[in-house]
Amino acid sequence: MTWSQMQPLLEQASWETLIMVGWSTLIAVLAGLPLGVLLVLTDRGGLLQNVVVNKVVGQIVNIGRSMPFIILMVALMSFTRWVTGTTIGSEAAIVPLAIGGIPFFARLVETAVREVDGGLVEAVQSMGGNTWTIVRKVLVPEALPSLIASTTTTIIALIGYSAMAGTVGGGGLGDLAVRYGYQRFEPDFMWITVALLAVAISLIQFAGDYAARTLHRRGRGGAAPRLRLLRAKEPAAADVSKVA
């Protein structure tokens, strides 16, 4: 197969992969972020401690993460057909990709939020901040660099899932690699597809790492140091009042 024959196929497949990964990432982030924060808030010692809710949500997330994607696609075929009207093509692949990405991202969010300094939470509580204020002003902003890195990891994982979806008619670059590279014995086509995926993943990783580092550097002069300074001054103020 010549390059002039490959080019339109590769362009169409790349666009399909972009659509699948883009929409599934958006859904995974919008659903996984509150889910991961909820796991932290309802854990023992959390602001909304509720062991039952934490265990139930945690088990649901664990089941979603442990299920191989190819099995998840098959298990969700009826639901996918109900949502999109079909089980074939890039639009249909978005459903299992998003559902598979939600628990994956939720666990990454949970890990990122747990790394936030508990002293900052206590400082906001001492100033009368409620749970929503703490989540919005402390937990999410302080964990933002890690959340960016988690989003990057999720996008890369979903690219791999999308290639797997191509083996069962999901479209995209994975579908081309199977149909032309494997079934039609076009190894050049397969290697070009592999190269495109490798370049895409490298660029995404570079962009994600750069964004995370930039946010981390900017965060050094943000709200967290001011809150730490305020917290450090409180004991000093108390000592002065005792002396008086």
Side-chain angles (χ1 to χ4, degrees):
M1 181 178 290
T2 63
W3 173 250
S4 61
Q5 293 172 315
M6 292 182 187
Q7 186 176 1
L9 295 173
L10 289 170
E11 289 176 355
Q12 178 64 26
S14 299
W15 178 247
E16 291 175 352
T17 298
L18 178 63
I19 292 175
M20 286 191 293
V21 174
W23 279 107
S24 58
T25 299
L26 179 62
I27 297 171
V29 169
L30 292 178
L33 179 60
L35 195 61
V37 173
L38 180 65
L39 286 170
V40 176
L41 295 179
T42 58
D43 200 5
R44 295 183 185 277
L47 298 174
L48 301 175
Q49 179 175 319
N50 190 317
V51 177
V52 175
V53 172
N54 185 268
K55 293 297 183 183
V56 171
V57 175
Q59 285 300 317
I60 293 173
V61 170
N62 289 339
I63 292 172
R65 287 186 62 201
S66 64
M67 188 174 296
F69 181 70
I70 192 70
I71 296 177
L72 181 65
M73 285 192 68
V74 175
L76 292 174
M77 278 187 174
S78 298
F79 179 70
T80 301
R81 184 180 292 108
W82 178 73
V83 173
T84 64
T86 181
T87 58
I88 300 174
S90 57
E91 291 184 2
I94 292 173
V95 176
L97 282 172
I99 293 177
I102 289 171
F104 183 86
F105 185 69
R107 281 302 184 191
L108 295 177
V109 171
E110 180 187 11
T111 302
V113 173
R114 286 189 189 281
E115 293 175 354
V116 176
D117 185 2
L120 301 179
V121 175
E122 295 175 2
V124 175
Q125 283 181 313
S126 67
M127 292 184 286
N130 56 23
T131 301
W132 171 243
T133 301
I134 292 172
V135 171
R136 187 167 56 91
K137 296 291 187 180
V138 179
L139 295 182
V140 173
E142 286 297 304
L144 194 55
S146 296
L147 292 177
I148 295 295
S150 299
T151 303
T152 303
T153 302
T154 302
I155 292 172
I156 293 173
L158 289 175
I159 290 175
Y161 289 168
S162 71
M164 195 182 304
T167 63
V168 290
L173 292 170
D175 181 41
L176 281 189
V178 172
R179 285 196 293 120
Y180 289 89
Y182 177 72
Q183 296 176 351
R184 301 188 184 184
F185 304 102
E186 295 278 356
D188 293 342
F189 204 107
M190 178 179 289
W191 286 116
I192 290 174
T193 303
V194 171
L196 285 174
L197 290 171
V199 169
I201 289 172
S202 298
L203 291 174
I204 291 169
Q205 187 68 62
F206 174 80
D209 290 344
Y210 178 79
R213 287 195 300 267
T214 301
L215 287 172
H216 181 71
R217 287 195 296 267
R218 290 180 179 178
R220 292 176 182 174
R226 290 197 297 270
L227 286 172
R228 292 191 184 98
L229 182 61
L230 175 63
R231 191 164 172 264
K233 287 181 177 179
E234 287 177 352
D239 294 339
V240 172
S241 63
K242 288 180 181 179
V243 172

